[in-house]
Amino acid sequence: MFHPGNAWLDMDGAPIQAHGGGILHHENTYYWFGENKDGPTKIMPNNLHRIDAIGVSCYSSTNLYDWHHHGVVLPAVQDDPDHDLHTSRVIERPKVLYHAPSQRFVMWMHVDNAVYSYARVGVAIAEQPTGPYRYLHSLRPFGYDSRDMTVFQDDDGRAYLIFSMQHNHTLMIGQLSDDYLNTQGASVSQFVGQYREAPAVFKHAGRYYMVTSGCTGWDPNEARWAVADTMLGEWALRGNPCRGPQAELTFGAQSTFVLPLHNSPFPFLFMADRWQPLSLSESRYVWLPLYFKENEMVIPWQEAWQWQPAAQPLLSIG
Ligand code: DGJ
């Protein structure tokens, strides 16, 4: 079962370190990528709480409960202070896409300096989902600053970068190049002046959906959902999809990814991070069902739940 917010150990008995993460479903296996934050939290002069960058962890599972650790598949760089991935910097929100034409795995991530003024996206590639990943470059997508971000791959193979830009004032959605290694082509600005971050994007019944958070650092705030007919169309910002205790604070967590669930009574898995600013390594994972009821997105709180068809469903979709 999932126990949202509880400590979660991998198959070796170690706490899972995959914060701000995302999942790639590839050849019947789930690969969970996220920030390894297994170090001491430092409080900087400007009251920013950080952990020196360690890199991106990868875990694999066939059931989404039991996770095998494949180590740090994109490690931070120790010896070059000017490198995007130097330990003094920030590597956040890694997401991996499979690029079928080249049979390569492409990782996109937020790379930054310790005070978040570098504000770029980094790209790395691998031949296997479990890496090792080779860092290629960072870029300012469409010429803009970029902080919280995610990527989304559509059914037609077209992929998109979704990122908070202009100091989080606006969210931008733009196309990736055919090889997924750059941004290229059309882009649109959305939620202008709304200060949304932590985007998680998915498709349902031919339409596009997003969950975002507000911008309050490591502290939780209210999630909102949004919908569009096309990725580059007009996105309508709607209400809070969360239901239950602390729904107004996303159950003390912040969105990071939405995974389609196959053969499940629940169409989607909502993944969020319950950050612990004083001890970031102990931040927890809040994974909950996500579904639609009368065209409204719903994320209900659950103390414990199962996603697979069970003899006796723990939660019914009304
Ligand atoms: C909120 C973002 O969503 C996180 O990924 C991280 O960048 C924190 N801010 C840092 O304060």
Side-chain angles (χ1 to χ4, degrees), residues 38-204:
D38 194 10
T41 299
K42 296 178 177 175
I43 302 181
M44 314 268 290
N46 51 8
N47 206 29
L48 275 178
H49 295 221
R50 66 168 272 112
I51 283 181
D52 279 353
I54 295 169
V56 178
S57 291
C58 174
Y59 295 80
S60 69
S61 174
T62 52
N63 62 14
L64 293 172
Y65 306 118
D66 305 312
W67 292 95
H68 299 270
H69 192 203
H70 296 275
V72 178
V73 296
L74 181 71
V77 170
Q78 307 273 348
D79 52 7
D80 178 1
D82 294 329
H83 197 285
D84 283 351
L85 305 185
H86 186 249
T87 50
S88 64
R89 296 179 174 230
V90 164
I91 307 169
E92 288 182 351
R93 298 189 175 269
K95 307 285 180 287
V96 172
L97 299 176
Y98 177 58
H99 183 253
S102 65
Q103 300 184 321
R104 286 192 305 207
F105 298 85
V106 185
M107 181 186 292
W108 283 72
M109 72 212 89
H110 172 196
V111 292
D112 222 318
N113 57 20
V115 294
Y116 291 90
S117 62
Y118 188 57
R120 295 168 77 100
V121 264
V123 185
I125 55 169
E127 308 299 327
Q128 303 294 330
T130 52
Y133 283 79
R134 183 163 62 89
Y135 190 70
L136 295 182
H137 55 229
S138 68
L139 55 115
R140 286 169 59 85
F142 306 97
Y144 291 103
D145 58 315
S146 171
R147 292 183 175 81
D148 277 9
M149 44 64 66
T150 192
V151 286
F152 171 76
Q153 185 181 46
D154 208 344
D155 307 327
D156 60 2
R158 172 64 65 197
Y160 300 84
L161 176 71
I162 301 94
F163 62 102
S164 303
M165 48 91 106
Q166 292 177 324
H167 293 270
N168 300 335
H169 176 271
T170 295
L171 194 95
M172 182 165 258
I173 303 170
Q175 292 180 338
L176 300 192
S177 53
D178 289 344
D179 61 9
Y180 293 1
L181 303 182
N182 281 288
T183 49
Q184 190 177 66
S187 62
V188 290
S189 298
Q190 300 290 336
F191 316 149
V192 176
Q194 298 284 337
Y195 289 89
R196 306 306 299 172
E197 66 176 8
V201 175
F202 62 100
K203 189 174 186 176
H204 172 60

Side-chain angles (χ1 to χ4, degrees), residues 219-286:
D219 296 332
N221 55 57
E222 189 173 59
R224 294 185 67 180
W225 65 281
V227 58
D229 289 332
T230 61
M231 275 301 286
L232 297 172
E234 191 65 31
W235 284 77
L237 196 53
R238 298 278 171 80
N240 178 4
C242 299
R243 303 282 182 271
Q246 285 213 297
E248 72 287 359
L249 292 177
T250 320
F251 319 111
Q254 185 184 31
S255 46
T256 184
F257 199 74
V258 174
L259 177 74
L261 293 175
H262 306 285
N263 302 319
S264 171
F266 315 114
F268 297 97
L269 168 66
F270 172 72
M271 297 167 56
D273 297 287
R274 187 177 283 171
W275 302 114
Q276 302 293 334
L278 296 176
S279 180
L280 284 163
S281 65
E282 295 179 272
S283 300
R284 299 279 175 81
Y285 312 99
V286 172

